[in-house]
Amino acid sequence: MTTSSMHRPANIEELQDFVRASQNIRVCGAGTKPSLSSGAIVSTSGMSGILEYEPSEYTFTALAGTPLSEIRDALAENGQLFPFDPPLVEAGATLGGTTASGLSGPGRFRYGGIRDFILGVKMVTGEGRAVFGGGKVVKNAAGFDIPKLVTGSLGRLGVLVELTFKVFPIPETWTTIRADFRGLDTGNLAMIRLAMAQEELQCLDLEPSGRLWLRLGGLSAAVDGRVDRVRKLLQQVDAGVNVEVLSGTDDVHVWDDAREFRWVPENYQLIKLPVSSAQVVTAEQLLTEAGFESARRYSVGGNVLWLAIPESVGSDEVDRLCQQLGRPALALTGSWSDPQRGPRQGQAFAERLLTVFDPDSRFETAATA
Amino acid sequence: MSAEPDSASAQNITAFFAELSRIYSADRILTNNAQLAPYESDGLTCFRARPCGVVLPETQQEVIDTVRLCHRFEMPFIARGSGTSLSGGAVPIENGLVIAMNRMNKILDYDAEQLTAVVEPGVINLKVSQHVAGDRLYYAPDPSSGPVCTIGGNVAFNSGGAHCLKYGMTSNHVLGIKAVLPDGEIVNLGGDSLESVGQDLTGMFIGSEGLFGVALEVTLRLLPKPEKYYTLQAAYDSLEKAGNAVAMVVASGLLPGAMEIMDRLSMDAADAAIGAGYPQDAAAVLIVELEGTTDEVEAEMPLLHSVIEESGAYIVEAAKDDAHRTKIWTGRKSAFSAVGRLSPDFIVQDGVVPRTRLAEALAEIERLSGEYGIRVANVFHAGDGNLHPLVMFDGREEGALHKAEELSGEIIRLCIRLGGSITGEHGVGLEKRMYLGEMYGEDDIEFMHRLQHAVDPQKLANRGKKLPAATAPALLTRGAHPLEKQGVIFRD
Ligand SMILES: Cc1cc2nc3c(=O)[nH]c(=O)nc-3n(C[C@H](O)[C@H](O)[C@H](O)COP(=O)(O)OP(=O)(O)OC[C@H]3O[C@@H](n4cnc5c(N)ncnc54)[C@H](O)[C@@H]3O)c2cc1C
């Protein structure tokens, strides 16, 4: 990101003027996902702040450039949180950038991802028009679901300006369970069992070594009983499993580290691959066969593979993996001709909608290579 | 009776049906009056239109061929599920084709470990949960019409139910959709993972009320069934107290699976229909349901009880067992149809208000009800601020429908004024189109029209629903009521 030529409109009108007068527009928030924001010429950082927050409604509205940390703190003061557990909060990610990237964190296992909690959006389209979609109440079936559409749109449909989300109360207490299984197969089996069980876990992550991370949230009076039940389920998969219970700051650190991707080695590129738990073992095999170094974490009960690879690994390797798994991928860091890799679905539908959002193709997604 | 000339001339119609009969055997093409009658309207019986025919596809290919044929002949069409729409959304297009999806009712794939099921759109909502119950899983969206309505209809309307507060609506439980666009192009949206990359096209398709084409296959997300439910029914001597209790529960940090309120009239209706046995002198009952692991729910119970006591409930009844829980929910879920016992006709409204303005909204509805001299029963998803005022009238009385519609309109506007929505889950359909332009700005409405145009330039798919008539500025529709011209469905 070069800051010298960066435009920072202070309000929606300035942004509209900018869009009408510009071409090849790439948008960025705080730039915490460099592959998605490189070459940006307009930043939302001038449009920041919480506009409305009514805790008893479970909703807030904030400008796109608002740092997630600011909203998280405001929510926490009122005993609430982002149910979709957005990543890179400490790194400085903004609400708009997170929405446009369509990213959720490990805690989305419990209630749903960012697309499940977005309620409303005000945005500027390629014609410089301000468009409002969705609503500001927790339930709304009027109009087309533009808020969902723009989730993950990577700046291609327009600039998000104002967003409304649904939030939930913070559980009274958190507890993390770390379970070390003999290997990936057993760990994955345990993950599948736990995802099907009635334990209402907040997070369910697997490391390739067979280490399973589980998080419980709820009333402190119930914690011990719940931990015991989870322990039993884990032992049913493998009686010899090594189980450790973490609470307090130990619990918090585990998920902060996961959310901030602190496990990713320096100079590695980070890629998101939506998968399913049925593919975990296959994915590991394919990566072994591919022969390059990587660090991995399977999150959300095996619904997403966070893959970190050295910069030396070419995009064709990633494309091959996508092909083999039949999944798309999104690169958050590193150099890419297109951060979106692999098969794309629904293009015929997407292209038609794009003609309305950006008829003159003013917007483009980032490309670094 | 469309304002536009018929899109298909008589000659074309003959050719069209000749082509249709190459796709369907004769018994699956309905054209005579008696056969068409059941398809003329939906759950909102005051709208009616006569289609040129109904086809009963049994395979995806038949649906695709039908849509392509319609496109070739510029024949408007509507996909229809069980016709339980409460907003006129399933009313046919005058002289258009109805594609009845009910025979497309197979569960194509079920993977308990992946917590997914792939279903055809004609599958009945409740059948999904029944199918997966053996693995202690369920499909969360639970519209009261669950025993009859279809997944395709749920997708089209983003339907909800009593348990949306915690787990959301249909769109929060659909991972992927295979659909045929109005010109016959096939698209696969989303997939089978909870996570995705790129725009959320699945989310955009859901709630589009059939305007973006026909869903052929839907991948549903299943959830483990809560181990324990704790269902509590509390009686209040005023509706306001019940409303405030909801706010108090929210403030306590509890996150119940459902919070529902019924007022006196809806209790009377449920009593009359199924002998629900509500307290005779209560002005309102609140149903709160906790759900989760046994440990968690048992820890939450005392907290809930103290909140409810503090809220001024004078009778608090907790479900003793599953049968008791079912009884409480049957009373609540029967309320819509039960109102039929109190009034020959009624209109169900579906507006949403911010939860903090519930009491204000209910007081105003009561005032309006008095002013119009029309009874309004209130049964609603209080946790979401989603009202369901049931506006009662007798259709045989001259002008009664018109007056009821007028009162409904005032209630809808009230929801807009309070910062809410004109519909929480029943969709805009035919009925609420003229209010969409009051909730959204003129530019936003135009944008929606352009989206429809981009996907379906000829407006073949469910033409005339969801969006206000493009030809008339949104504000004009505030004047004359379309029902003044009974039988005129739309001018688009
Ligand atoms: C007694 C009663 C209680 C109800 N309770 C609730 C409730 O609690 N919550 C709630 O949300 N709703 C409720 N409803 C409304 C209604 O049941 C829902 O809107 C339901 O989703 C409609 O499903 P259906 O199969 O009957 O669809 P239909 O009424 O046949 O069609 C509805 C819409 O879906 C479209 N459609 C159908 N199939 C497809 C397809 N395959 N592809 C594309 N479009 C399609 C139709 O074109 C139409 O626009 C209730 C209705 C009744 C009568």
Side-chain angles (χ1 to χ4, degrees):
Chain A
M1 259 192 312
T2 49
T3 39
S4 53
S5 58
M6 184 77 80
H7 289 260
R8 297 178 194 282
N11 53 49
I12 193 163
E13 291 78 17
E14 280 182 35
L15 174 63
Q16 288 176 272
D17 290 343
F18 171 80
V19 168
R20 287 194 197 104
S22 310
Q23 279 294 336
N24 303 99
I25 305 171
R26 292 185 197 175
V27 195
C28 77
T32 60
K33 298 163 278 284
S35 321
L36 305 180
S37 58
S38 72
I41 60 168
V42 59
S43 159
T44 56
S45 58
M47 298 181 292
S48 176
I50 299 170
L51 301 177
E52 289 167 42
Y53 174 35
E54 179 55 64
S56 55
E57 295 295 347
Y58 284 165
T59 57
F60 74 84
T61 302
L63 290 169
T66 317
L68 292 173
S69 56
E70 183 180 327
I71 304 170
R72 176 202 55 195
D73 293 347
L75 293 175
E77 265 175 45
N78 291 281
Q80 296 181 337
L81 48 58
F82 294 113
F84 54 95
D85 194 19
L88 299 168
V89 181
E90 295 301 332
T94 62
L95 185 66
T98 306
T99 306
S101 315
L103 294 183
S104 311
R108 70 93 78 213
F109 183 70
R110 178 74 184 94
Y111 293 114
I114 187 164
R115 51 102 54 193
D116 296 301
F117 286 89
I118 189 167
L119 298 172
V121 62
K122 189 188 269 182
M123 66 188 294
V124 172
T125 66
E127 293 170 298
R129 291 163 59 124
V131 168
F132 177 73
K136 290 193 167 180
V137 279
V138 294
K139 206 169 176 190
N140 169 39
F144 294 120
D145 205 338
I146 295 172
K148 280 211 173 52
L149 181 72
V150 301
T151 307
S153 62
L154 303 173
R156 189 62 193 84
L157 297 177
V159 189
L160 312 183
V161 175
E162 204 182 292
L163 298 150
T164 301
F165 277 91
K166 176 174 168 179
V167 296
F168 274 162
I170 303 182
E172 184 183 273
T173 185
W174 296 106
T175 308
T176 290
I177 299 169
R178 188 181 68 211
D180 282 304
F181 287 95
R182 275 169 299 170
L184 176 86
D185 288 25
T186 330
N188 190 48
L189 184 63
M191 180 167 73
I192 291 171
R193 291 271 173 83
L194 266 297
M196 288 177 76
Q198 298 169 308
E199 305 309 313
E200 315 229 311
L201 302 169
Q202 299 277 339
C203 308
L204 183 59
D205 280 17
L206 177 69
E207 290 181 33
S209 64
R211 172 171 282 185
L212 194 62
W213 292 99
L214 310 93
R215 195 181 203 196
L216 290 169
L219 292 177
S220 35
V223 169
D224 291 347
R226 293 180 67 193
V227 168
D228 280 347
R229 285 171 42 133
V230 171
R231 191 195 303 268
K232 281 199 191 95
L233 285 172
L234 295 168
Q235 283 165 347
Q236 275 171 23
V237 178
D238 178 1
V241 65
N242 192 353
V243 176
E244 190 98 31
V245 180
L246 311 173
S247 52
T249 49
D250 290 343
D251 156 87
V252 171
H253 285 148
V254 170
W255 302 105
D256 274 354
D257 289 352
R259 209 179 285 124
E260 302 295 323
F261 302 108
R262 294 200 179 108
W263 53 271
V264 173
E266 203 155 337
N267 295 324
Y268 271 46
Q269 333 181 66
L270 178 61
I271 297 162
K272 169 186 166 177
L273 261 148
V275 289
S276 76
S277 55
Q279 290 182 305
V280 169
V281 175
T282 315
E284 286 295 305
Q285 274 161 5
L286 292 170
L287 282 162
T288 310
E289 283 160 24
F292 52 80
E293 290 292 306
S294 66
R296 283 103 52 211
R297 190 176 175 105
Y298 295 89
S299 190
V300 194
N303 279 275
V304 62
L305 160 58
W306 292 106
L307 174 67
I309 51 173
E311 276 171 357
S312 54
V313 179
S315 56
D316 45 338
E317 298 276 13
V318 175
D319 293 347
R320 184 168 324 123
L321 183 65
C322 288
Q323 224 58 56
Q324 286 164 328
L325 291 171
R327 300 286 184 178
L330 182 69
L332 305 191
T333 60
S335 295
W336 305 88
S337 56
D338 184 339
Q340 217 177 322
R341 316 298 313 178
R344 292 187 193 195
Q345 293 201 309
Q347 283 308 295
F349 187 44
E351 277 159 19
R352 294 178 200 200
L353 300 173
L354 186 61
T355 62
V356 183
F357 280 89
D358 188 19
D360 308 318
S361 293
R362 284 182 197 273
F363 293 108
E364 54 183 42
T365 42
T368 36
Chain B
M1 271 194 296
S2 169
E4 271 178 16
D6 279 348
S7 30
S9 69
Q11 194 187 350
N12 255 342
I13 292 257
T14 314
F16 176 75
F17 275 95
E19 294 276 344
L20 264 189
S21 61
R22 288 147 71 110
I23 306 175
Y24 299 95
S25 52
D27 59 323
R28 292 195 288 131
I29 306 178
L30 316 181
T31 48
N32 75 45
N33 286 350
Q35 288 174 319
L36 296 183
Y39 295 91
E40 283 178 5
S41 68
D42 63 12
L44 181 67
T45 46
C46 50
F47 291 100
R48 248 164 222 288
R50 169 66 48 118
C52 67
V54 176
V55 290
L56 308 171
E58 286 168 0
T59 66
Q60 294 185 20
Q61 194 55 48
E62 287 176 352
V63 179
I64 295 164
D65 291 344
T66 308
V67 169
R68 287 182 179 161
L69 189 65
C70 287
H71 183 247
R72 188 143 66 82
F73 280 81
E74 289 192 35
M75 170 65 76
F77 63 88
I78 177 174
R80 183 180 170 107
S82 298
T84 63
S85 160
L86 292 170
S87 56
V91 173
I93 298 147
E94 187 77 32
N95 294 324
L97 185 73
V98 173
I99 307 175
M101 302 295 286
N102 310 73
R103 294 189 181 188
M104 305 261 309
N105 59 1
K106 285 187 284 300
I107 295 180
L108 300 172
D109 189 27
Y110 163 47
D111 188 334
E113 294 194 344
Q114 299 307 312
L115 301 163
T116 55
V118 182
V119 306
E120 288 183 336
V123 167
I124 301 295
N125 170 292
L126 199 62
K127 284 266 165 67
V128 180
S129 287
Q130 285 168 353
H131 190 82
V132 304
D135 294 306
R136 285 190 299 199
L137 304 177
Y138 78 122
Y139 175 64
D142 63 335
S144 302
S145 51
V148 276
C149 68
T150 65
I151 294 295
N154 295 172
V155 163
F157 275 147
N158 193 14
S159 300
H163 290 79
C164 291
L165 177 60
K166 207 164 178 173
Y167 292 112
M169 331 249 295
T170 297
S171 70
N172 305 106
H173 301 272
V174 172
L175 302 176
I177 295 173
K178 177 182 176 190
V180 51
L181 299 181
D183 61 358
E185 182 145 10
I186 295 159
V187 288
N188 286 290
L189 315 174
D192 64 353
S193 175
L194 288 179
E195 278 291 331
S196 60
V197 162
Q199 307 166 16
D200 188 353
L201 297 166
T202 314
M204 185 63 169
F205 190 89
I206 296 169
S208 60
E209 302 194 15
L211 265 52
F212 289 155
V214 184
L216 300 170
E217 209 176 286
V218 187
T219 304
L220 305 175
R221 164 197 184 207
L222 307 169
L223 295 179
K225 201 165 164 20
E227 184 185 29
K228 186 176 172 70
Y229 290 101
Y230 184 68
T231 315
L232 202 149
Q233 186 167 285
Y236 293 86
D237 59 15
S238 83
L239 199 49
E240 200 182 341
K241 278 189 194 159
N244 288 336
V246 172
M248 291 169 70
V249 173
V250 166
S252 75
L254 287 169
L255 184 58
M259 283 196 273
E260 303 279 309
I261 292 179
M262 295 172 75
D263 72 357
R264 185 67 253 167
L265 262 180
S266 39
M267 282 186 269
D268 287 344
D271 275 336
I274 60 159
Y278 291 103
Q280 277 309 309
D281 46 355
V285 292
L286 167 68
I287 301 168
V288 186
E289 184 163 274
L290 301 172
E291 50 171 54
T293 62
T294 308
D295 296 290
E296 189 67 21
V297 170
E298 281 174 358
E300 288 176 345
M301 277 156 47
L303 183 55
L304 178 63
H305 272 280
S306 70
V307 173
I308 295 299
E309 244 143 69
E310 207 186 314
S311 71
Y314 72 96
I315 304 176
V316 182
E317 178 192 7
K320 293 184 289 287
D321 48 29
D322 261 4
H324 195 179
R325 171 180 184 246
T326 305
K327 184 172 167 240
I328 291 177
W329 278 113
T330 307
R332 161 62 188 88
K333 294 205 171 191
S334 73
F336 279 10
S337 18
V339 165
R341 297 291 183 114
L342 302 186
S343 169
D345 299 291
F346 61 94
I347 301 168
V348 187
Q349 277 308 325
D350 176 45
V352 183
V353 296
R355 202 161 30 213
T356 42
R357 323 242 356 217
L358 262 179
E360 194 180 338
L362 292 169
E364 180 63 9
I365 291 173
E366 196 179 341
R367 193 192 65 75
L368 286 167
S369 160
E371 187 184 306
Y372 277 79
I374 294 178
R375 289 185 302 167
V376 180
N378 282 292
V379 39
F380 51 98
H381 308 306
D384 304 309
N386 188 186
L387 306 171
H388 285 323
L390 299 143
V391 180
M392 301 181 218
F393 65 98
D394 183 346
R396 289 162 305 190
E397 269 172 36
E398 179 77 25
L401 169 62
H402 177 78
K403 239 173 93 182
E405 281 280 341
E406 241 176 352
L407 171 55
S408 292
E410 294 229 34
I411 295 174
I412 294 174
R413 292 202 173 101
L414 168 68
C415 294
I416 300 173
R417 222 165 41 239
L418 294 177
S421 169
I422 63 174
T423 170
E425 55 183 24
H426 295 170
V428 176
L430 279 173
E431 183 214 9
K432 292 185 276 285
R433 291 180 305 155
M434 69 270 249
Y435 303 105
L436 198 71
E438 297 180 35
M439 177 172 162
Y440 292 101
E442 226 171 281
D443 283 359
D444 301 329
I445 297 288
E446 198 227 341
F447 195 75
M448 292 180 208
H449 277 293
R450 284 170 59 194
L451 289 170
Q452 180 195 22
H453 183 78
V455 177
D456 182 12
Q458 290 136 309
K459 291 192 192 161
L460 298 177
N462 210 3
R463 166 188 297 177
K465 310 289 166 47
K466 191 172 179 81
L467 302 177
T471 42
L475 287 184
L476 273 188
T477 57
R478 271 188 191 163
H481 197 284
L483 283 176
E484 288 174 343
K485 321 178 200 91
Q486 272 271 11
V488 178
I489 300 301
F490 61 86
R491 299 165 170 267
D492 206 351

